[in-house]
Amino acid sequence: MRHVVVLTGAAAVAAGIWIVLMLLDPNPSDGGVAAEVATPLLLVVEPKDEPPMVELVRTADGLERLQVGIILNGTWRRGGDFVELSEGVEQVTWPAAVPLAGASNVAVRFPTEAMPILMTVNVYGDTLDADGAPVGEPIFSVDCATADMLPGGECELDHVSDSFVLTGVRLARDGISRIAVNVHWSLRDSSDTTVWATWLFTVTGDL
């Protein structure tokens, strides 16, 4: 049986490519004809000491910045110490709604060479409670692991220059959409410890 191992890392990120290593079973029981199995094998690129400035972008002509996300919460490592990004914050603050003028080709740009390992995207309507939290269930929600972020995955990430761009998820809905993107990254010295943060965006449009 033939297996496909997708290998990414600093060299692959710098080159903007996916490196694919083909492994062949020396004694195939099926005559060498089998479905390819893709398994992500990631070389961890360490996140920097500060969370990235995640942006909502339009992808029609390059990457036009629409909005800088507001960090709701998270845990990050700064100088070897873990800090809570939401310490002392009680009110949820959303950015002012950006009009899309009918353009639905919006994406989220992560200006980092560190590949996420987990991602959750929730899209809510406009109704908020007294603390600014969305009321009710999300209009749309998706949870993705690393394999889902590879080409063709539900949360496909495109590598553009020194960034990853979330293009595989339809983020905007009719009316006002409040978007929450929660992302986790691995740390090189621990397979069990992650840094993470949630970014908030708001858009409006008749899509």
Side-chain angles (χ1 to χ4, degrees), residues 97-102 173-177 202-207:
V98 172
L100 295 181
R173 300 296 192 270
D174 288 340
I176 292 181
S177 299
T202 310
V203 297
T204 183
D206 184 8
L207 307 179

Side-chain angles (χ1 to χ4, degrees), residues 123-165:
V123 180
Y124 300 91
D126 190 35
T127 305
L128 304 175
D129 65 18
D131 296 322
V135 174
E137 296 298 316
I139 301 170
F140 170 81
S141 182
V142 63
D143 295 305
C144 292
T146 300
D148 303 311
M149 304 176 206
L150 299 178
E154 190 170 14
C155 292
E156 180 174 345
L157 291 176
D158 290 343
H159 181 249
V160 181
S161 185
D162 59 351
S163 303
F164 286 102
V165 180

Side-chain angles (χ1 to χ4, degrees), residues 188-201:
R188 184 182 293 112
D189 55 4
S190 174
S191 60
D192 299 323
T193 305
T194 65
V195 293
W196 64 275
T198 304
W199 286 267
L200 304 180
F201 306 91

Side-chain angles (χ1 to χ4, degrees), residues 160-184:
V160 181
S161 185
D162 59 351
S163 303
F164 286 102
V165 180
L166 175 62
T167 59
V169 175
R170 183 190 170 196
L171 298 169
R173 300 296 192 270
D174 288 340
I176 292 181
S177 299
R178 299 189 183 274
I179 305 163
V181 182
N182 175 271
V183 187
H184 290 243

